[in-house]
Amino acid sequence: MKKYPIIVGAAVVFMLSFANNITFAEEWKANTTDSIQVVNGQKEYTMKRGDTLWAIGQKVNIKAEKLADINGIDLKKGQQYKLPRGRVLSFGANIITVKDADGSIYSQSIIQDKDKINTEKNIGETADQQSSNNEYPYAVAREGLQYPAVFQFRGSNVPESITLDFSQGTNGKVIFKRNATTTEEYSASFNTIATKDIRVENIDSTADNRLRTVRVNTEIYIQPSSDYQNPAVDNETNRFYLFINKNGGISLATPNYAGNYPQGEEDVMLEAVNIPTDQLNSSANSLAGYSDEQIEYARVTEALLQYYNVAGQPIEVAAQRNNSGHQVLPFDGSKTLNEPSVTLSFSMDGTMASTIIVTYLSNHDGTIRFYKNPNHYQDERYTTDPAWVQEESQKMIDSFQTLSIPTDYDTQAVNLIPIIKIS
């Protein structure tokens, strides 16, 4: 499997464990229309695990969008597979009543012809317009995604996001956001395939719960392109799979872009999860009221945690803004920087061993250039040999790395701001 170039991802960092621990999560399987039995005469149905709006709609002749509306299911938040189990749907001539498990009425609505799948049939009757889903029990309905459908990873060396757009049919596009400034767009198709078992690394991976096997019926086939240097997709990495995860959301299985897998796990795919539209748009609001300086330091810290593969959140963060002429090393002979800079440090447990110190300069385009500072100076030449100090400081300048500072960390960044000490 191809190894992906080093890219800073756009989600919370966790440390990858390479223990060969495999778990089989509780498997979600879509119920077929045949398994949905409407009680004759009473015209009632009680929702259960595995139900989908599509399958219920086919059985009772009501469009999925209407069922979502009367059950308080927000499709824009990706809740199409999170149905309230135990809720009862009762059907009259043209009225549907929704009752909670305790018998209380949740809602009641008149069903018009525009709400029906088949206008020649009553509600509570099978629509008979689409075949049963028996053959593909793990399929994800194309219409069940809200487009553009954005998927994000956790971890490092992965794309910031992958976006699917099949809003116009089974032929659509897939967009890779590799970093803050680079995207790649590919033609793709949305296909239903025979049931297939794949292994994925859990997005919430831990040492004891790292891998699981899932069954899939939905494949995203991506057409490779020669338009990009070192493209994200080639003939070996162009088949992705959609499946319903254990939380009722939608996950995307992709090739292992990080390229760091133990022997025997070449087939293991990465899991990315669909991020509801409202969550994608919430980061700006979470930082409202903070200064640009506070937001900058918090975002840079989160990006550096990702870059250095540090798990968790720091307990101490300090930022010092430096004027032009700042010494790279605080000793005689040191080279200086000819631009304003910031020295940023953070510690995971308050010890020097866990402290990371960097000095960075803004590129004013959503990226920074930075080098890592020593967190202690034990070599006596720092104080006795200015020529050696000059050489060492030049090495640090030559080691500048460029790092994208995305906004995808803002949910975590907002929690750092109260502990940042600025000088």
Side-chain angles (χ1 to χ4, degrees):
M1 187 175 291
K2 181 177 76 171
K3 292 188 178 182
Y4 204 58
I6 292 178
I7 295 174
V8 176
V12 181
V13 177
F14 61 93
M15 296 299 288
L16 292 174
S17 165
F18 296 127
N20 291 320
N21 293 304
I22 301 176
T23 61
F24 294 85
E26 184 182 4
E27 191 173 55
W28 188 96
K29 179 179 179 181
N31 295 329
T32 66
T33 53
D34 293 339
S35 70
I36 297 175
Q37 300 297 321
V38 176
V39 180
N40 290 330
Q42 294 182 353
K43 296 291 187 182
E44 287 189 347
Y45 179 69
T46 302
M47 293 186 188
K48 57 184 180 293
R49 175 176 167 79
D51 282 349
T52 66
L53 295 174
W54 178 87
I56 293 175
Q58 293 296 317
K59 193 67 176 182
V60 303
N61 194 30
I62 299 175
K63 291 180 179 179
E65 294 81 3
K66 182 64 175 179
L67 286 172
D69 179 56
I70 61 179
N71 280 282
I73 297 170
D74 192 338
L75 298 179
K76 292 182 179 180
K77 293 183 178 180
Q79 297 176 349
Q80 55 267 35
Y81 292 101
K82 298 182 179 180
L83 276 61
R85 282 181 279 177
R87 184 168 283 179
V88 178
L89 307 179
S90 298
F91 313 99
N94 64 340
I95 295 177
I96 182 170
T97 301
V98 180
K99 300 177 184 177
D100 282 326
D102 62 3
S104 60
I105 294 178
Y106 176 82
S107 68
Q108 194 171 61
S109 180
I110 296 175
I111 303 299
Q112 303 177 20
D113 280 351
K114 64 182 179 67
D115 301 319
K116 296 180 180 180
I117 297 171
N118 185 342
T119 58
E120 296 180 358
K121 290 203 168 188
N122 296 323
I123 64 171
E125 296 180 349
T126 303
D128 283 337
Q129 285 197 341
Q130 299 195 39
S131 61
S132 170
N133 201 34
N134 280 335
E135 189 176 355
Y136 308 109
Y138 307 98
V140 174
R142 179 182 64 83
E143 298 83 356
L145 287 163
Q146 294 296 305
Y147 298 107
V150 179
F151 292 80
Q152 291 182 348
F153 301 85
R154 290 180 181 174
S156 59
N157 300 344
V158 292
E160 286 196 10
S161 64
I162 295 177
T163 300
L164 310 184
D165 189 351
F166 294 96
S167 55
Q168 302 303 310
T170 56
N171 292 321
K173 60 185 178 182
V174 175
I175 300 171
F176 290 76
K177 185 178 181 183
R178 297 179 69 158
N179 53 46
T181 60
T182 304
T183 59
E184 297 176 8
E185 182 176 317
Y186 298 86
S187 298
S189 58
F190 194 105
N191 305 315
T192 301
I193 61 172
T195 300
K196 177 177 181 177
D197 288 352
I198 61 172
R199 292 199 298 168
V200 297
E201 179 161 358
N202 299 326
I203 195 165
D204 54 355
S205 173
T206 66
D208 297 324
N209 183 23
R210 196 168 68 81
L211 306 182
R212 74 187 191 276
T213 296
V214 298
R215 290 182 171 177
V216 297
N217 286 129
T218 304
E219 176 189 81
I220 305 299
Y221 178 82
I222 304 173
Q223 182 65 44
S225 172
S226 59
D227 293 342
Y228 309 105
Q229 291 185 346
N230 196 16
V233 173
D234 61 23
N235 288 321
E236 296 181 356
T237 60
N238 63 338
R239 296 179 188 274
F240 295 5
Y241 303 96
L242 288 170
F243 60 93
I244 309 303
N245 58 45
K246 59 188 177 182
N247 297 318
I250 301 176
S251 289
L252 179 70
T254 78
N256 185 348
Y257 292 106
N260 46 3
Y261 45 77
Q263 185 177 0
E265 295 187 8
E266 294 81 0
D267 65 308
V268 174
M269 307 186 81
L270 299 182
E271 180 181 8
V273 295
N274 183 216
I275 307 300
T277 303
D278 65 322
Q279 291 184 24
L280 289 171
N281 296 330
S282 65
S283 60
N285 292 333
S286 68
L287 291 170
Y290 293 110
S291 70
D292 291 343
E293 191 175 32
Q294 290 174 306
I295 294 171
E296 174 188 325
Y297 299 151
R299 284 176 171 168
V300 171
T301 301
E302 289 295 338
L304 288 167
L305 287 168
Q306 179 85 358
Y307 180 84
Y308 286 113
N309 281 342
V310 179
Q313 293 292 298
I315 63 171
E316 298 175 357
V317 182
Q320 174 183 301
R321 189 168 290 279
N322 311 312
N323 295 323
S324 299
H326 174 70
Q327 285 185 287
V328 175
L329 289 169
F331 301 101
D332 291 342
S334 173
K335 292 279 189 176
T336 59
L337 301 176
N338 57 10
E339 300 177 52
S341 63
V342 173
T343 298
L344 184 74
S345 66
F346 54 88
S347 176
M348 306 307 292
D349 59 15
T351 66
M352 186 57 68
S354 74
T355 300
I356 293 176
I357 308 171
V358 304
T359 296
Y360 73 86
L361 296 80
S362 173
N363 292 324
H364 307 290
D365 62 356
T367 67
I368 62 169
R369 289 168 289 146
F370 75 97
Y371 60 78
K372 190 174 181 180
N373 298 73
N375 57 7
H376 57 276
Y377 300 93
Q378 292 182 326
D379 196 310
E380 63 179 17
R381 288 176 292 181
Y382 282 118
T383 58
T384 62
D385 191 343
W388 180 83
V389 170
Q390 183 180 43
E391 182 179 343
E392 290 300 301
S393 62
Q394 184 61 53
K395 288 179 182 178
M396 293 172 66
I397 293 174
D398 293 340
S399 71
F400 265 123
Q401 301 288 320
T402 299
L403 179 63
S404 296
I405 309 300
T407 60
D408 306 86
Y409 303 107
D410 285 358
T411 301
Q412 292 76 38
V414 70
N415 295 319
L416 286 183
I417 290 178
I419 68 171
I420 298 175
K421 295 181 180 179
I422 302 174
S423 59

